[in-house]
């Protein structure tokens, strides 16, 4: 047993420690985080059993359709949601936009998503997330991106997938790339680990730690294109700790019941009978219309932003 | 020498609908090893699994999420029955909220969510603020030992009022009640499962071993020398 030797008197509280920030992400495990654009949607999400909501001006599918520069959500809208729901509230800032992140922290957002869905503000740098009390989640396409974001202070990782497409294929690809590489690390000797750390441009310590743990040192969610309860359960099957559903719920024609079905399928992903029950709750014709990734031009891909 | 003692495995369940389940499993495993008690920790997702365990841990997470799923799949009523039958239950953070008789949110004032109602207290959710205000602080908990305990408070709740004489306050922080015990049920606002301090989990296991709930089941505490001799 490791008993602390600290005696009464040294009781000054600590804020924003790594344990508090990564610990917050651990409390989200096994759950569904839903993109919402207003208080009504946030309430539907909370009632359906979402573990948190992500407030946006436009759902990723609409960001994709609208084009132009996508920025941080209107702060008054975020405030309304904060005042209304009891579950954690998250919001996105542009990659590298330190000041949008600071504004979100002051506003009291529980977690900040430095997101490729918005137009990047800095092509060369991500935010130095160690400087914040509020925890960050970042997207990744492979283990290298994941470890670089963790080295910058991310407290949680999610796959990038391809947001706003309703097509789970990219999220599947990214999750498998991360998981397979971690499995490979387990069989590597020190020399190979050093090679990997050089290739990824991260410290050898973080690669060693990941190899030893057999998983990322932070919670790892799936995101980007999840549209149905079966998609959510599939991502859990691939080793995700939980899922983000962006456009999939509120771009469908049956958001309330679909939100609930997605939560059930995520919890009971290892029981196909219950995933079937969840699938029966929704109507496939009411799913959002998806986009085949192959029809997207390279400049339309969000996942290539911020590597 | 290995004594021939009738032996039955101590089994502790962790409610695994959502939240920091694996952290509780690891900490409970560590606590069992510290105490030299042979036992196993299993995840609980279905109501028919409740009968298989001698004690239940309700982890941290989102109480609204866990409560709704547990209600939908008949786990709430099953846990309530097990509690009335005397099963020891230990809840941290969301677990404390779910065990309370009354719940209110500090920020929105909302009061409706599915709960167990097995602790005679009112709990305020988000009593210390949002994630930005989450904190770590050493707290005094005389019942589990002289050394202070590392309290990890994450969007933590607090007990706002105690509704029965049976409730014993184990710890407070800045005037807010952070840990209570009622009979063999423990509810705490912070997260010992995020630390390497196993005292709270050992305290809970001790409670299970002493509880009448498992009387006659023939558990035995292993002596140091015969641990490795048993199969």
């Amino acid at each position: 047993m490791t008993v602390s030797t600290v005696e009464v008197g040294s009781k000054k509280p600590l804020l924003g420690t790594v344990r508090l920030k990564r610990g917050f992400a651990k409390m989200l495990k096994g759950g569904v985080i839903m993109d919402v654009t207003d208080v009504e949607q946030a309430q539907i999400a909370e009632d359906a059993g979402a573990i948190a909501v992500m407030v946006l001006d436009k759902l990723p599918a609409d960001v994709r359709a609208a084009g132009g520069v996508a920025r941080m959500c209107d702060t008054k809208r975020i405030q309304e949601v904060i005042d209304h729901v009891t579950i954690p509230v998250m919001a996105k800032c542009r990659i590298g936009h330190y000041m949008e992140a600071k504004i979100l922290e002051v506003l009291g957002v529980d977690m900040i998503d430095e997101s490729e869905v918005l137009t990047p503000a800095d092509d060369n740098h991500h935010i130095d997330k160690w400087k914040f009390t509020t925890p960050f989640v970042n997207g990744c396409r492979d283990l290298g991106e994941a470890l670089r974001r963790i080295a910058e202070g991310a407290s949680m990782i999610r796959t990038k997938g391809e947001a706003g497409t309703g097509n789970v294929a990219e999220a599947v690809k990214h999750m498998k790339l991360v998981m397979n590489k971690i499995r490979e690390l387990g069989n590597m000797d020190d020399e190979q680990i050093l090679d990997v750390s050089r290739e990824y441009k991260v410290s050898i310590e973080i690669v060693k730690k990941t190899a030893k743990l057999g998983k990322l040192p932070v919670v790892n969610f799936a995101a980007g294109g999840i549209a149905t309860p079966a998609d959510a359960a599939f991502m859990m099957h691939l080793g995700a700790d939980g899922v983000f559903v962006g456009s999939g719920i509120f771009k469908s024609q049956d958001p309330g019941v679909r939100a609930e079905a997605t939560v059930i399928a995520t919890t009971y992903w290892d029981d196909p009978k219950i995933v079937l029950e969840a699938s029966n709750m929704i109507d496939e014709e009411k799913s959002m219309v998806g986009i085949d990734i192959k029809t997207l031009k390279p400049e339309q891909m969000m996942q290539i932003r911020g590597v | 020498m290995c004594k021939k003692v009738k032996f039955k495995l101590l089994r502790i369940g962790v409610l695994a609908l959502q939240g920091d389940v694996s952290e509780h499993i690891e900490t409970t495993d560590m606590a069992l090893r510290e105490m030299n008690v042979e036992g196993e920790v299993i995840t609980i997702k279905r109501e028919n699994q409740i009968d298989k365990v001698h004690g239940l841990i309700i982890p941290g997470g989102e109480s609204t999420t866990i409560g709704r799923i547990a209600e939908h799949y008949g786990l709430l009523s099953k846990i309530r029955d097990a509690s009335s039958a005397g099963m020891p239950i230990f809840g941290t953070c969301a677990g404390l909220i779910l065990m309370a008789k009354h719940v209110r949110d500090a920020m929105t004032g909302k009061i409706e969510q599915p709960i167990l109602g097995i602790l005679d207290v009112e709990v305020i959710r988000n009593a210390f603020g949002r994630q930005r205000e989450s904190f770590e602080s050493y707290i005094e908990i005389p019942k589990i030992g002289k050394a202070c305990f590392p309290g990890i408070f994450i969007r933590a709740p607090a007990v706002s009022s105690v509704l029965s004489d049976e409730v014993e306050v184990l710890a407070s922080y800045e005037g807010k009640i952070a840990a209570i015990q009622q009979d063999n049920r423990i509810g705490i606002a912070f997260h010992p499962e995020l630390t390497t301090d196993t005292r709270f989990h050992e305290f809970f296991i001790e409670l299970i071993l002493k509880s009448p709930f498992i009387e006659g089941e023939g558990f035995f505490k292993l002596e140091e020398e015969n641990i490795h001799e048993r199969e």
Side-chain angles (χ1 to χ4, degrees):
Chain A
M1 174 166 55
T2 322
V3 177
S4 62
T5 51
V6 178
E7 293 300 328
V8 188
S10 55
K11 284 214 269 181
K12 194 169 169 267
L14 300 169
L15 303 177
T17 62
V18 171
R19 183 153 61 175
L20 288 168
K21 293 199 277 187
R22 292 186 183 178
F24 170 75
K26 286 176 180 174
M27 299 309 147
L28 305 173
K29 287 195 296 180
V32 183
I33 299 164
M34 300 180 193
D35 278 4
V36 299
T37 59
D38 55 34
V39 168
E40 287 72 35
Q41 290 184 352
Q43 189 57 54
I44 291 170
E46 183 174 82
D47 289 343
I51 38 159
V53 290
M54 174 82 68
V55 194
L56 296 140
D57 275 323
K58 288 194 268 301
L59 293 172
D62 295 326
V63 171
R64 187 174 284 290
V69 176
R71 308 182 185 89
M72 175 181 76
C73 178
D74 186 324
T75 48
K76 297 180 289 300
R77 192 189 296 245
I78 301 171
Q79 185 67 55
E80 277 171 24
V81 175
I82 286 177
D83 292 340
H84 194 81
V85 297
T86 65
I87 57 177
V89 175
M90 305 183 179
K92 293 180 192 291
C93 73
R94 282 179 264 175
I95 290 174
H97 205 310
Y98 177 88
M99 206 38 77
E100 281 188 350
K102 266 294 159 201
I103 289 167
L104 293 175
E105 178 168 78
V106 172
L107 194 58
V109 161
D110 296 295
M111 184 172 245
I112 300 167
D113 184 1
E114 188 182 14
S115 176
E116 71 282 0
V117 170
L118 307 183
T119 312
D122 187 331
D123 285 337
N124 302 312
H125 303 92
H126 281 73
I127 295 168
D128 177 3
K129 295 165 273 286
W130 297 111
K131 292 204 170 83
F132 287 75
T133 303
T134 303
F136 277 75
V137 55
N138 275 89
C140 77
R141 286 178 302 171
D142 54 38
L143 184 60
E145 281 188 30
L147 294 184
R148 283 194 290 282
R149 299 296 88 80
I150 296 167
E152 291 158 2
S155 303
M156 176 172 169
I157 289 294
R158 56 170 175 78
T159 58
K160 283 179 172 171
E162 190 56 40
T165 59
N167 186 339
V168 79
E170 294 298 295
V172 170
K173 184 161 90 188
H174 299 161
M175 185 57 76
K176 283 192 170 175
L177 281 172
V178 171
M179 294 300 182
N180 292 345
K181 198 69 194 184
I182 293 174
R183 275 189 284 271
E184 278 177 35
L185 288 183
N187 290 322
M188 287 184 187
D189 63 15
D190 284 355
E191 197 175 72
Q192 289 171 301
I193 295 271
L194 180 64
D195 287 343
V196 170
S197 77
R198 283 175 176 161
E199 183 195 333
Y200 289 174
K201 299 190 176 78
V202 293
S203 73
I204 190 161
E205 285 75 23
I206 196 171
V207 183
K208 272 189 179 163
K209 189 175 182 188
T210 306
K212 192 173 165 222
L213 286 171
K215 58 177 189 175
L216 289 179
V218 300
V219 166
N220 180 19
F221 268 46
I226 294 158
T228 65
D231 285 348
F234 182 30
M235 295 314 300
M236 296 298 285
H237 167 77
L238 293 178
D241 289 321
V243 297
F244 283 86
V245 184
S247 315
I249 289 171
F250 290 102
K251 287 308 272 185
S252 75
Q253 291 159 51
D254 51 0
V257 64
R258 185 171 297 253
E260 204 184 330
T262 309
V263 170
I264 290 169
T266 304
T267 299
Y268 291 104
W269 63 271
D270 52 354
D271 187 336
K273 277 187 192 149
I274 297 189
V275 179
L276 168 64
E277 281 171 33
S279 297
N280 280 335
M281 289 167 70
I282 62 151
D283 187 345
E284 175 52 25
E285 285 184 4
K286 291 179 178 164
S287 294
M288 71 179 281
V289 180
I291 300 173
D292 185 350
I293 312 289
K294 293 184 190 73
T295 65
L296 289 178
K297 297 190 188 105
E299 63 271 24
Q300 291 175 307
M301 302 279 265
M302 289 173 172
Q303 59 176 275
I304 57 169
R305 297 165 167 179
V307 296
Chain B
M1 273 294 289
C2 179
K3 285 175 254 171
K4 286 207 170 182
V5 181
K6 195 183 166 198
F7 183 82
K8 208 171 169 185
L9 206 60
L10 178 69
R11 198 178 288 127
I12 299 170
V14 179
L15 190 64
L17 302 177
Q18 191 272 316
D20 67 338
V21 176
S22 62
E23 286 73 12
H24 266 294
I25 293 173
E26 282 162 27
T27 312
T28 310
D29 273 332
M30 273 198 298
L32 286 167
R33 279 199 300 275
E34 283 295 336
M35 298 169 76
N36 284 334
V37 173
E38 189 86 355
E40 67 172 344
V41 191
I42 63 167
T43 55
I44 304 284
K45 288 174 99 167
R46 303 295 209 106
E47 50 96 12
N48 58 15
Q49 294 172 305
I50 298 283
D51 298 327
K52 299 190 173 110
V53 295
H54 308 105
L56 179 70
I57 295 174
I58 307 178
E62 266 315 302
S63 61
T64 50
T65 303
I66 300 172
R68 278 173 224 278
I69 302 170
E71 187 178 50
H72 189 85
Y73 286 96
L75 276 151
L76 283 190
S77 55
K78 189 73 189 211
I79 296 170
R80 249 180 240 126
D81 291 348
S83 177
S84 322
M87 179 189 281
I89 302 180
F90 175 28
T92 63
C93 195
L96 165 65
I97 296 168
L98 285 162
M99 289 168 79
K101 196 149 255 174
H102 301 289
V103 175
R104 186 160 53 84
D105 187 80
M107 298 184 288
T108 65
K110 283 183 193 172
I111 51 168
E112 278 172 41
Q113 66 180 88
I115 49 174
L116 289 162
I118 54 173
L119 284 175
D120 292 330
V121 293
E122 185 198 56
V123 167
I124 294 202
R125 290 179 62 196
N126 303 314
F128 297 92
R130 309 190 65 83
Q131 173 59 18
R132 196 179 47 191
E133 284 86 41
S134 293
F135 63 95
E136 293 188 16
S137 184
Y138 283 98
I139 48 176
E140 288 175 74
I141 312 171
K143 197 145 183 184
I144 62 155
K146 204 175 150 212
C148 285
F149 196 89
I152 314 292
F153 292 78
I154 297 178
R155 282 175 55 100
V159 172
S160 48
S161 59
V162 170
L163 309 168
S164 143
D165 296 341
E166 290 173 30
V167 176
E168 181 188 352
V169 174
L170 301 180
S172 295
Y173 181 80
E174 289 190 337
K176 290 179 175 142
I177 299 170
I180 55 158
Q181 181 180 0
Q182 180 176 4
D183 193 17
N184 47 17
R185 301 182 291 283
I186 311 168
I188 63 177
F190 46 94
H191 297 282
E193 75 279 11
L194 296 183
T195 73
T196 51
D197 194 324
T198 54
R199 283 180 292 165
F200 242 113
H201 288 74
E202 289 181 42
F203 178 55
F204 179 59
I205 294 164
E206 216 37 79
L207 211 60
I208 300 175
L209 292 171
K210 279 190 286 194
S211 96
F213 188 65
I214 60 164
E215 215 165 60
E217 295 227 9
F219 294 106
F220 97 119
K221 211 167 160 172
L222 290 173
E223 295 303 323
E224 196 74 59
E225 62 271 17
N226 62 18
I227 287 176
H228 303 294
E229 293 179 36
R230 275 186 357 93
E231 286 188 337

